[in-house]
Amino acid sequence: MERRGLDFVALNQGNAQLTGLYRSHIGDWPKFFKMDTLSKAGFVASELLLKKTGEHRLEGEEYTHSRAIVLFGSTASLCADRNYQETIQDRDNYYPSPALFVYTLPNIVTGEIAIRNHWRGETSFYVLEAPDAAQMAFHLACTFDDPETESILAGWVDSRNNDDYQVFMTLIDREDAADTEWLAGQLDLIINNLNK
Amino acid sequence: MARVIRCIADNVVSPLGTTSRSNYDSVKAGRSGLALYESMGNISTPFVLSRMDRVVIDGLCAELGIQGNYTFFEKFLLCSSVQAVRDAGIDASSDRVLFIISTTKGNVSLLGQPQEGVEQERVLLARAAREVMRFFGNPGKPIVVCNACISGVCAQIEAMRALRSGRYDYAVVIGADEQSPFIISGFLSFKAISDEPCRPFDKDRKGLNLGECAATVVLEASDDKKCGWELVCGAIRNDANHISGPSRTGEGSYLALMEVLKQCNRDKLAFVNVHGTATAYNDEMESIALYRAGLIDVPVTGLKGYYGHTMGAAGIMESILSMYAVRDNTVLATRGFAVQGTTWPVSVSNGLRECRGSEFIKLLSGFGGSNAALLYRYSE
């Protein structure tokens, strides 16, 4: 029997406006407005994916550590780095901001998603040269080496400047990752949607 | 049978020495790299830092045959990894060798100060990693673990998993960070940096110090159980609480500890090497996590009083020094500690202690709510 393909959400600055998507589809998480572009992109894509797959987020005192978040990217926090650098570049205009500095780490987006959904599983951010399906499939499969990890919110997220981003998010379970070639094929199909 | 992952070579380059052995001896003798700086770049607030002497790195590069247009960060990675790869006696140009780099900010200083002969694109972490792999002639695709302060433990965990999969025979895991005005000004803006040498777990602790270090472990996968240091297991867990502050209940660290304890022989556990940054929140959180995990009586040791917080290198350097300490039946002194200053009184000391045991746990936590632990075991 043919296995069903992975559900995914792919967005970029050409086809989606993050604040608009937040207002029309999410709306109950004001922390969104504090986030940098990388985190906004990752957050919105994760929310849209979870709505699409019909998964309810854990709330109140309910937490899980069986769901990991593993994201990849090539720019990492470069956009936030540039924003922060501007605040320290000039001696006469020197005003280093903790609110900007905290986003100069790419794994912050994994933390934002973990907080929103009450997931206490693994969170990882890997920097690659480009979205490479085989390389990503290999490292995602490795993540299941942790016996507690049952599924992964996986994706790619990049942002070169405040008005530019590329993101996809998908959900992978143990069975999906057991066949690494199949997983790589699925990721390849999704990657082809990144620039559409 | 599952493949066994062993550490077959290691190196630490820091202000305290350019080999693991010289670093261990310096720390055991109580030497610290921390010093007071009045200013740096546009920073005019005094801060304490452990800074690598650039002249030493250039000398080491000449000695090790590292030539080319490299940034300080790339030279730092190479100075450590070239020595470790040489000691391991492996052919690093093989496609059976995986390179994993651990860093938080890599070449970020290029943003403020471009370098002649170095493409600006090398501010991209995977591009910097590519330079290192090119030096060794390794044909693989670069991968950089960028998980804030826990990166060095995560990089070892990922290397362990990749080796277990059978795709690789060896992994070269390298961690480093350059302490440029970018990082220092950021931590100063958080009011997290102390203007005196840090005091981990002390009641008067005033914050952290930053530090520079490069460290490498070479891991090998084998199907038979040989002697030496085995990387047994590791776990990464999120607090799901706050992006820049630790959980009040130490949730992520507790969960990571509980996961590695599943494979730990408690009577063989020599000590836990903690993060111990000397910020009010971190050390308090770690004491709670250790208490909840039933580890409150196990000796605890932190190395930030010698090195400062070395970010991408921390998880690797602190694992290496722990290996040397276990073999030396020693719990290293937690420099800077004097009086208990956490809710739960962890077993910490500013003097050397004797220990028996053949296992240790390395624990880290960081921004993004991230926490990680790993377990190493020595066998004769």
Side-chain angles (χ1 to χ4, degrees):
Chain A
M1 197 180 82
E2 187 82 359
R3 188 190 299 180
R4 193 171 165 270
L6 293 176
D7 282 317
F8 68 91
V9 165
L11 309 169
N12 63 60
Q13 72 287 346
N15 68 18
Q17 207 266 332
L18 292 172
T19 306
L21 284 173
Y22 170 79
R23 288 193 200 281
S24 57
H25 291 86
I26 307 165
D28 63 343
W29 199 249
K31 281 181 192 165
F32 170 82
F33 295 100
K34 286 189 186 174
M35 296 178 193
D36 72 332
T37 305
L38 191 79
S39 285
K40 279 181 176 159
F43 176 77
V44 168
S46 71
E47 288 286 306
L48 297 187
L49 176 73
L50 295 174
K51 276 189 196 291
K52 188 172 175 177
T53 57
E55 293 219 10
H56 294 286
R57 109 174 26 85
L58 298 168
E59 302 200 358
E61 292 303 303
E62 229 186 319
Y63 284 87
T64 180
H65 56 270
S66 65
R67 161 86 37 95
I69 305 169
V70 178
L71 302 183
F72 301 85
S74 68
T75 63
S77 57
L78 183 62
C79 172
D81 294 351
R82 288 198 176 117
N83 292 341
Y84 179 74
Q85 180 66 34
E86 271 182 37
T87 72
I88 59 166
Q89 187 73 17
D90 279 333
R91 189 175 287 262
D92 298 332
N93 194 20
Y94 179 82
Y95 58 104
S97 152
L100 290 179
F101 184 66
V102 72
Y103 286 102
T104 65
L105 291 164
N107 67 311
I108 294 296
V109 56
T110 66
E112 298 277 18
I113 298 169
I115 292 168
R116 168 69 159 171
N117 296 291
H118 287 199
W119 297 340
R120 286 182 173 150
E122 170 165 340
T123 49
S124 288
F125 198 102
Y126 296 108
V127 185
L128 313 179
E129 284 185 314
D132 181 300
Q135 194 181 15
M136 290 161 76
F138 175 75
H139 289 286
L140 288 168
C142 284
T143 302
F144 286 104
D145 191 66
D146 186 319
E148 296 289 314
T149 301
E150 292 303 327
S151 62
I152 307 173
L153 176 78
W156 173 270
V157 58
D158 253 6
S159 168
R160 280 196 174 250
N161 59 59
N162 295 326
D163 306 315
D164 166 274
Y165 71 92
Q166 258 191 342
V167 62
F168 81 72
M169 291 280 169
T170 186
L171 275 172
I172 292 164
D173 64 23
R174 220 165 241 283
E175 203 183 323
D176 298 326
D179 185 348
T180 315
E181 246 173 72
W182 178 84
L183 179 58
Q186 289 289 308
L187 293 176
D188 213 32
L189 291 174
I190 300 174
I191 289 165
N192 289 334
N193 281 279
L194 264 179
N195 292 313
K196 280 186 186 162
Chain B
M1 195 189 113
R3 301 178 105 198
V4 176
I5 312 306
R6 293 188 316 135
C7 176
I8 57 165
D10 53 75
N11 171 271
V12 177
V13 173
S14 85
L16 297 180
T18 57
T19 63
S20 300
R21 169 54 62 187
S22 58
N23 272 273
Y24 180 74
D25 291 343
S26 291
V27 168
K28 198 178 176 190
R31 284 193 283 276
S32 170
L34 297 174
L36 182 68
Y37 291 79
E38 294 297 336
S39 64
M40 182 190 280
N42 291 336
I43 301 169
S44 54
T45 322
F47 57 89
V48 166
L49 173 74
S50 172
R51 188 169 189 269
M52 189 71 217
D53 188 339
R54 273 51 180 170
V55 177
V56 171
I57 290 298
D58 286 338
L60 206 49
C61 282
E63 195 183 303
L64 296 168
I66 301 163
Q67 294 164 325
N69 277 324
Y70 293 118
T71 62
F72 168 73
F73 169 67
E74 292 156 4
K75 286 184 202 168
F76 212 12
L77 290 170
L78 284 168
C79 280
S80 179
S81 55
V82 166
Q83 296 189 75
V85 165
R86 182 194 61 198
D87 293 351
I90 62 168
D91 173 11
S93 70
S94 161
D95 70 353
R96 303 285 298 169
V97 177
L98 171 70
F99 276 77
I100 298 191
I101 309 274
S102 159
T103 187
T104 63
K105 295 314 308 164
N107 279 324
V108 76
S109 60
L110 288 175
L111 289 182
Q113 204 165 15
Q115 185 177 325
E116 207 182 318
V118 171
E119 312 89 306
Q120 201 61 12
E121 283 281 296
R122 265 144 78 174
V123 76
L124 296 173
L125 298 176
R127 271 290 286 116
R130 169 71 70 184
E131 291 301 314
V132 172
M133 292 167 71
R134 190 177 285 150
F135 178 89
F136 288 101
N138 186 278
K141 290 170 180 159
I143 178 161
V144 179
V145 175
C146 199
N147 270 349
C149 307
I150 70 165
S151 301
V153 165
C154 295
Q156 292 178 78
I157 292 173
E158 190 53 19
M160 171 188 77
R161 294 169 176 175
L163 290 171
R164 275 194 192 138
S165 79
R167 165 66 186 82
Y168 299 96
D169 296 325
Y170 299 97
V172 181
V173 187
I174 322 165
D177 262 300
E178 172 189 16
Q179 295 297 353
S180 65
F182 187 101
I183 300 178
I184 298 168
S185 65
F187 275 92
L188 281 168
S189 78
F190 260 105
K191 310 247 179 278
I193 293 192
S194 174
D195 58 0
E196 58 180 42
C198 64
R199 300 192 234 172
F201 292 93
D202 191 86
K203 76 173 176 52
D204 293 324
R205 61 188 184 277
K206 287 173 65 179
L208 57 79
N209 309 135
L210 295 169
E212 291 183 328
C213 179
T216 308
V217 287
V218 180
L219 303 177
E220 175 193 59
S222 59
D223 293 324
D224 52 346
K225 193 117 187 160
K226 293 185 210 156
C227 58
W229 277 108
E230 180 189 353
L231 176 48
V232 181
C233 63
I236 304 164
R237 297 288 183 266
N238 201 287
D239 292 332
N241 176 63
H242 197 278
I243 54 166
S244 59
S247 151
R248 280 182 191 279
T249 52
E251 211 58 47
S253 285
Y254 163 73
L255 289 170
L257 284 171
M258 292 307 283
E259 189 57 36
V260 299
L261 282 172
K262 286 181 188 169
Q263 297 194 53
C264 174
N265 301 303
R266 294 290 287 267
D267 55 332
K268 303 261 176 66
L269 182 60
F271 54 78
V272 180
N273 183 290
V274 290
H275 197 25
T277 58
T279 64
Y281 290 119
N282 176 80
D283 297 3
E284 174 67 10
M285 180 281 288
E286 280 190 304
S287 83
I288 294 167
L290 289 162
Y291 168 76
R292 290 181 65 198
L295 294 168
I296 201 72
D297 295 324
V298 175
V300 153
T301 168
L303 298 170
K304 301 296 192 285
Y306 307 92
Y307 291 97
H309 186 352
T310 55
M311 317 200 85
I316 302 171
M317 175 269 284
E318 292 169 7
S319 294
I320 294 169
L321 262 68
S322 296
M323 291 183 213
Y324 280 73
V326 167
R327 296 287 290 129
D328 194 23
N329 296 319
T330 298
V331 183
L332 288 167
T334 300
R335 192 179 188 277
F337 169 82
V339 181
Q340 279 285 355
T342 53
T343 301
W344 295 100
V346 295
S347 171
V348 60
S349 166
N350 58 10
L352 294 169
R353 287 177 286 175
E354 200 181 333
C355 70
R356 292 274 170 255
S358 50
E359 302 183 6
F360 72 87
I361 290 172
K362 172 72 208 122
L363 179 66
L364 284 179
S365 56
F367 279 177
S370 55
N371 304 265
L374 52 73
L375 175 70
Y376 269 100
R377 175 182 299 147
Y378 185 80
S379 53
E380 299 284 348

